[in-house]
Amino acid sequence: MRSAYPEAYVRFLAHYQGDRDFFECHELLEEYWKEHPDSPYRGEWVGLIQAAVGMYHYRRGNTAGAVKSFEGSLRRSSPERLRALGIDAELWLERLTETLRAARSGEPYKDVDLPVADAALEAEARAACEALGAKWGDPSRMEDPELLHRHARRDRSSVIEARRQAYEARRAGR
Protein backbone atom coordinates (compact mmCIF):
# COMPACT_ATOMS: atom_id res chain seq x y z
CA MET A 1 0.00 0.00 0.00
CA ARG A 2 1.29 3.46 -0.94
CA SER A 3 1.88 5.87 1.92
CA ALA A 4 -0.12 9.06 2.23
CA TYR A 5 3.16 10.78 3.17
CA PRO A 6 6.45 11.35 1.32
CA GLU A 7 9.10 8.73 2.00
CA ALA A 8 11.59 11.44 3.00
CA TYR A 9 9.18 12.61 5.70
CA VAL A 10 8.67 9.08 7.05
CA ARG A 11 12.46 8.63 7.14
CA PHE A 12 12.81 12.04 8.82
CA LEU A 13 10.48 10.85 11.59
CA ALA A 14 12.33 7.54 11.89
CA HIS A 15 15.63 9.34 12.46
CA TYR A 16 14.11 12.02 14.67
CA GLN A 17 12.37 9.55 16.99
CA GLY A 18 14.80 6.64 16.61
CA ASP A 19 18.52 7.24 16.33
CA ARG A 20 18.09 11.00 16.99
CA ASP A 21 20.28 11.77 13.98
CA PHE A 22 19.04 15.33 13.60
CA PHE A 23 21.65 16.12 10.96
CA GLU A 24 20.30 13.31 8.77
CA CYS A 25 16.75 14.56 9.44
CA HIS A 26 17.79 17.94 8.09
CA GLU A 27 19.48 16.43 5.02
CA LEU A 28 16.51 14.21 4.12
CA LEU A 29 13.80 16.80 4.43
CA GLU A 30 15.86 19.61 2.92
CA GLU A 31 16.44 17.53 -0.22
CA TYR A 32 12.72 16.77 -0.44
CA TRP A 33 11.80 20.43 0.16
CA LYS A 34 14.14 21.60 -2.62
CA GLU A 35 12.75 19.00 -5.05
CA HIS A 36 9.14 20.03 -4.32
CA PRO A 37 9.05 23.84 -4.43
CA ASP A 38 5.29 23.90 -5.03
CA SER A 39 4.39 21.78 -2.01
CA PRO A 40 1.56 23.28 0.05
CA TYR A 41 3.60 22.21 3.08
CA ARG A 42 6.72 24.13 2.06
CA GLY A 43 6.69 26.24 5.24
CA GLU A 44 6.14 23.20 7.44
CA TRP A 45 8.98 21.29 5.76
CA VAL A 46 11.28 24.24 6.53
CA GLY A 47 9.89 24.45 10.07
CA LEU A 48 10.56 20.76 10.69
CA ILE A 49 14.04 21.09 9.19
CA GLN A 50 14.73 24.03 11.49
CA ALA A 51 13.42 22.12 14.51
CA ALA A 52 15.83 19.25 13.75
CA VAL A 53 18.70 21.70 13.21
CA GLY A 54 17.80 23.37 16.49
CA MET A 55 17.91 20.02 18.30
CA TYR A 56 21.29 19.29 16.69
CA HIS A 57 22.71 22.63 17.84
CA TYR A 58 21.14 22.47 21.30
CA ARG A 59 22.48 18.98 21.93
CA ARG A 60 26.00 20.17 20.95
CA GLY A 61 25.78 23.19 23.27
CA ASN A 62 25.35 25.79 20.51
CA THR A 63 22.55 27.65 22.26
CA ALA A 64 22.56 30.65 19.89
CA GLY A 65 22.14 28.38 16.86
CA ALA A 66 19.44 26.39 18.63
CA VAL A 67 17.45 29.47 19.62
CA LYS A 68 17.60 30.92 16.10
CA SER A 69 16.49 27.60 14.59
CA PHE A 70 13.64 27.08 17.07
CA GLU A 71 12.39 30.64 16.51
CA GLY A 72 12.38 30.07 12.74
CA SER A 73 10.57 26.77 13.15
CA LEU A 74 7.86 28.32 15.27
CA ARG A 75 7.38 31.18 12.78
CA ARG A 76 6.86 28.76 9.90
CA SER A 77 4.62 26.22 11.61
CA SER A 78 0.93 26.37 10.76
CA PRO A 79 -1.07 24.20 13.18
CA GLU A 80 -3.57 23.36 10.44
CA ARG A 81 -0.90 22.14 8.00
CA LEU A 82 1.05 20.34 10.74
CA ARG A 83 -2.15 18.43 11.55
CA ALA A 84 -2.46 17.56 7.84
CA LEU A 85 1.07 16.10 8.13
CA GLY A 86 -0.10 13.77 10.90
CA ILE A 87 1.40 15.75 13.79
CA ASP A 88 -0.36 16.67 17.03
CA ALA A 89 0.25 20.34 16.23
CA GLU A 90 -0.76 21.86 19.55
CA LEU A 91 1.40 19.47 21.57
CA TRP A 92 4.35 19.86 19.17
CA LEU A 93 4.22 23.66 19.22
CA GLU A 94 3.93 23.59 23.02
CA ARG A 95 6.98 21.30 23.26
CA LEU A 96 8.95 23.39 20.79
CA THR A 97 8.10 26.62 22.65
CA GLU A 98 9.18 25.02 25.94
CA THR A 99 12.42 23.79 24.34
CA LEU A 100 13.11 27.31 23.05
CA ARG A 101 12.53 28.68 26.56
CA ALA A 102 14.85 26.03 28.06
CA ALA A 103 17.59 26.78 25.52
CA ARG A 104 17.31 30.53 26.16
CA SER A 105 17.64 29.98 29.91
CA GLY A 106 20.70 27.78 29.53
CA GLU A 107 19.07 24.55 30.65
CA PRO A 108 20.82 21.38 29.48
CA TYR A 109 19.57 19.60 26.37
CA LYS A 110 16.97 16.87 26.66
CA ASP A 111 15.31 14.93 23.87
CA VAL A 112 11.93 16.19 22.72
CA ASP A 113 9.68 13.74 20.91
CA LEU A 114 7.73 14.90 17.89
CA PRO A 115 4.14 13.81 18.63
CA VAL A 116 2.69 11.87 15.71
CA ALA A 117 -1.11 11.86 15.74
CA ASP A 118 -1.73 9.70 12.65
CA ALA A 119 -1.46 6.05 13.69
CA ALA A 120 -0.71 4.87 10.13
CA LEU A 121 2.12 7.41 9.81
CA GLU A 122 3.53 6.38 13.16
CA ALA A 123 3.43 2.70 12.16
CA GLU A 124 5.31 3.50 8.92
CA ALA A 125 7.88 5.61 10.75
CA ARG A 126 8.35 2.95 13.43
CA ALA A 127 8.99 0.33 10.73
CA ALA A 128 11.51 2.67 9.07
CA CYS A 129 13.10 3.23 12.46
CA GLU A 130 13.42 -0.51 13.01
CA ALA A 131 14.99 -0.85 9.55
CA LEU A 132 17.65 1.63 10.73
CA GLY A 133 18.38 -0.66 13.65
CA ALA A 134 17.05 1.94 16.06
CA LYS A 135 14.31 1.86 18.65
CA TRP A 136 11.49 4.40 18.53
CA GLY A 137 11.85 6.81 21.45
CA ASP A 138 15.39 5.88 22.47
CA PRO A 139 17.38 8.72 24.00
CA SER A 140 20.21 10.48 22.18
CA ARG A 141 23.56 8.72 22.34
CA MET A 142 25.36 11.66 23.95
CA GLU A 143 28.72 9.85 23.84
CA ASP A 144 28.63 9.22 20.07
CA PRO A 145 30.88 11.78 18.31
CA GLU A 146 29.57 10.73 14.87
CA LEU A 147 26.06 11.67 15.94
CA LEU A 148 27.00 14.81 17.83
CA HIS A 149 29.47 16.27 15.34
CA ARG A 150 28.15 14.99 12.00
CA HIS A 151 28.59 18.32 10.22
CA ALA A 152 32.34 18.29 10.87
CA ARG A 153 32.85 14.62 10.02
CA ARG A 154 30.99 14.23 6.72
CA ASP A 155 32.62 13.99 3.31
CA ARG A 156 32.06 17.34 1.59
CA SER A 157 34.28 16.74 -1.43
CA SER A 158 31.33 16.66 -3.90
CA VAL A 159 29.95 19.94 -2.50
CA ILE A 160 33.36 21.59 -2.69
CA GLU A 161 33.84 20.37 -6.28
CA ALA A 162 30.39 21.62 -7.33
CA ARG A 163 31.14 25.04 -5.85
CA ARG A 164 34.51 25.15 -7.62
CA GLN A 165 32.87 24.32 -10.94
CA ALA A 166 30.18 26.98 -10.43
CA TYR A 167 32.87 29.53 -9.59
CA GLU A 168 34.86 28.61 -12.72
CA ALA A 169 31.73 28.87 -14.88
CA ARG A 170 30.92 32.33 -13.47
CA ARG A 171 34.50 33.42 -13.96
CA ALA A 172 34.55 32.19 -17.55
CA GLY A 173 31.35 34.15 -18.25
CA ARG A 174 32.83 37.50 -17.23
Side-chain angles (χ1 to χ4, degrees), residues 111-133:
D111 290 322
V112 178
D113 288 342
L114 208 164
V116 179
D118 181 326
L121 173 60
E122 184 173 326
E124 277 185 77
R126 281 179 179 266
C129 181
E130 189 175 307
L132 294 170

Side-chain angles (χ1 to χ4, degrees), residues 21-171:
D21 188 342
F22 302 126
F23 192 86
E24 186 65 16
C25 289
H26 151 263
E27 294 283 299
L28 285 165
L29 214 47
E30 184 177 66
E31 184 177 331
Y32 180 82
W33 165 69
K34 286 179 178 179
E35 291 173 354
H36 297 85
D38 297 329
S39 170
Y41 304 107
R42 188 165 174 75
E44 284 62 45
W45 297 139
V46 174
L48 289 168
I49 291 164
Q50 288 180 308
V53 169
M55 295 300 176
Y56 181 79
H57 285 309
Y58 191 17
R59 185 172 59 193
R60 296 183 70 248
N62 177 359
T63 305
V67 166
K68 183 177 178 181
S69 296
F70 295 146
E71 288 172 342
S73 179
L74 286 164
R75 268 195 316 274
R76 286 177 174 80
S77 298
S78 155
E80 180 181 310
R81 286 191 294 273
L82 285 171
R83 282 191 292 276
L85 291 173
I87 293 173
D88 181 332
E90 289 71 21
L91 182 55
W92 171 239
L93 295 174
E94 180 182 305
R95 286 178 180 176
L96 195 54
T97 300
E98 173 55 25
T99 303
L100 171 59
R101 186 211 55 77
R104 280 183 176 146
S105 25
E107 294 176 25
Y109 169 84
K110 67 178 184 179
D111 290 322
V112 178
D113 288 342
L114 208 164
V116 179
D118 181 326
L121 173 60
E122 184 173 326
E124 277 185 77
R126 281 179 179 266
C129 181
E130 189 175 307
L132 294 170
K135 184 176 178 224
W136 188 265
D138 267 359
S140 287
R141 298 181 319 274
M142 298 298 284
E143 70 291 340
D144 183 351
E146 288 298 320
L147 185 66
L148 299 179
H149 308 294
R150 174 70 56 87
H151 74 285
R153 296 172 175 264
R154 64 189 168 143
D155 177 10
R156 299 200 22 95
S157 56
S158 63
V159 172
I160 293 167
E161 178 59 21
R163 286 182 182 161
R164 186 195 66 73
Q165 288 177 6
Y167 171 76
E168 292 297 329
R170 283 192 311 273
R171 209 167 142 222

